[in-house]
Amino acid sequence: MRIQPVTQQVELKRPLSRTCRNACLVHIYPTGLAMGTRHQLDREMITLGRGDDCDITVADSSVSRRHARIDLDIDGYVVTDLESTNGTFVNDTPARQTPLSDGDYLRVGNILYRFLAGGNVEAEYHEELYRLAIHDALTGLFNKRSLMDYLQREIDRSTRYGRPLALILFDIDHFKAINDTLGHLAGDFILRELAERLRPRVCKDDMLARYGGEEFAVVLTETDRAVAAELAEELRKTIEERPFLFEGRPQRVTISLGVASVHGEPIVIPQELIRRADECLYRAKREGRNRVVS
């Protein structure tokens, strides 16, 4: 009897690129000791969660025990939410077998990562560390350190050339109540959304920065107090006119703003200009919030 040979079909997989094998997640929020930590994605399946058995353990109450999974296939990395309590998001879009592209933001609960998988991951990593040094990780705006440096330079220029300089200081009304009622994930969402709404309203030659917590600042070069107050009113209306939608629920948000300025005054330091704007901000709070005081 003649035996027919058995033909076995072998599936040929494309080799993974070196770029894929060198990819990593960089912790960018919350700030603190963990900021800048690099998690190498060196396995075909990596789990993230609060549990000790996860490949990347995240000690944060907003993260589920087994929160998300990252799989490596021939086309790259794909992230899947594991029915977590607070969800997994890629660039603020819910992750349901979502491919990751170089530079994407991955959020698990309250933790934010940057996915790096470019041609030179090492260089991109150090660029990311520099970006974190001058920008606020949550909103992408300039941080307090950058604000103070910029303000000092512009005050010096105002003094030297006798040109006006204005500062708008503002914060979110009743922000603590929002956090207490809706949770910190909602608070973080509102901070990011506020930054996105206001960024296009500020000229590229000026600076929009997160001063701290729910407080923000706008530095306006060659701008007097009257013009700065007009812009502050535009910013106030931009936030008030449309509710913020968090998980399908509308939340009304308002801001209070204080405006101060200098016009070539000698020996003015950044802290003094901030103090003047802060006094106006607190007047706005005392007078009922959701208003501009200059």
Side-chain angles (χ1 to χ4, degrees):
M1 182 177 67
R2 188 175 178 184
I3 300 175
Q4 294 290 334
V6 177
T7 303
Q8 188 175 24
Q9 299 210 351
V10 179
E11 182 183 352
L12 296 176
K13 291 187 177 181
R14 282 182 292 165
L16 291 169
S17 69
R18 186 172 181 274
T19 295
C20 283
R21 293 186 182 279
N22 289 341
C24 64
L25 294 178
V26 181
H27 179 116
I28 65 173
Y29 184 83
T31 56
L33 294 177
M35 191 172 74
T37 301
R38 175 166 50 178
H39 300 280
Q40 207 71 34
L41 302 182
D42 52 2
R43 304 181 191 179
E44 291 190 359
M45 185 186 77
I46 292 176
T47 54
L48 295 86
R50 212 172 66 249
D52 293 335
D53 57 338
C54 291
D55 300 300
I56 299 177
T57 303
V58 188
D60 191 282
S61 59
S62 68
V63 177
S64 299
R65 289 191 61 80
R66 285 178 62 83
H67 196 107
R69 187 182 72 240
I70 298 176
D71 295 298
L72 177 59
D73 64 20
I74 58 176
D75 294 316
Y77 291 89
V78 176
V79 62
T80 304
D81 183 70
L82 300 177
E83 299 183 359
S84 65
T85 301
N86 291 314
T88 303
F89 300 84
V90 176
N91 301 325
D92 283 330
T93 299
R96 299 181 182 91
Q97 294 187 327
T98 303
L100 287 170
S101 299
D102 185 40
D104 278 350
Y105 290 94
L106 172 65
R107 179 161 59 87
V108 293
N110 196 40
I111 309 298
L112 194 62
Y113 298 99
R114 188 86 182 271
F115 174 72
L116 299 181
N120 190 338
V121 173
E122 193 66 30
E124 288 190 8
Y125 173 66
H126 288 289
E127 286 176 12
E128 183 66 17
L129 292 184
Y130 173 71
R131 191 189 68 82
L132 289 174
I134 64 173
H135 288 88
D136 171 61
L138 180 65
T139 62
L141 302 179
F142 287 102
N143 59 19
K144 183 177 179 179
R145 170 186 168 184
S146 299
L147 170 68
M148 299 304 287
D149 289 346
Y150 183 78
L151 203 50
Q152 183 65 69
R153 288 197 305 271
E154 292 306 319
I155 288 174
D156 290 345
R157 198 162 71 94
S158 170
T159 302
R160 187 179 303 116
Y161 299 109
R163 294 171 180 172
L165 175 71
L167 173 68
I168 303 172
L169 205 61
F170 64 95
D171 70 6
I172 301 172
D173 296 327
H174 304 297
F175 187 69
K176 184 178 184 301
I178 294 173
N179 273 333
D180 292 344
T181 304
L182 300 178
H184 288 280
L185 289 178
D188 285 352
F189 166 79
I190 287 171
L191 291 170
R192 288 197 304 273
E193 178 67 16
L194 180 142
E196 286 302 310
R197 289 192 190 184
L198 297 187
R199 190 181 278 112
R201 300 281 182 172
V202 177
C203 175
K204 66 178 182 179
D205 293 329
D206 299 322
M207 174 180 275
L208 172 61
R210 186 180 180 193
Y211 184 56
E214 71 274 23
E215 201 163 21
F216 297 82
V218 182
V219 183
L220 302 169
T221 59
E222 304 200 15
T223 304
D224 61 27
R225 187 162 62 241
V227 173
E230 291 175 6
L231 175 62
E233 180 62 19
E234 289 179 20
L235 300 181
R236 187 196 67 78
K237 290 178 179 177
T238 298
I239 298 305
E240 182 190 36
E241 67 188 7
R242 193 170 81 251
F244 287 60
L245 285 176
F246 177 71
E247 296 182 346
R249 292 177 294 177
Q251 175 67 37
R252 181 174 180 266
V253 176
T254 61
I255 57 176
S256 297
L257 308 94
V259 181
S261 65
V262 292
H263 198 145
E265 299 174 28
I267 321 175
V268 175
I269 60 174
Q271 290 81 356
E272 173 61 19
L273 186 58
I274 289 171
R275 185 191 65 78
R276 297 179 191 179
D278 202 41
E279 286 181 355
C280 292
L281 169 58
Y282 277 93
R283 270 185 54 201
K285 294 284 191 183
R286 288 195 302 269
E287 293 174 11
R289 294 182 169 85
N290 190 25
R291 65 193 63 216
V292 176
V293 170
S294 68

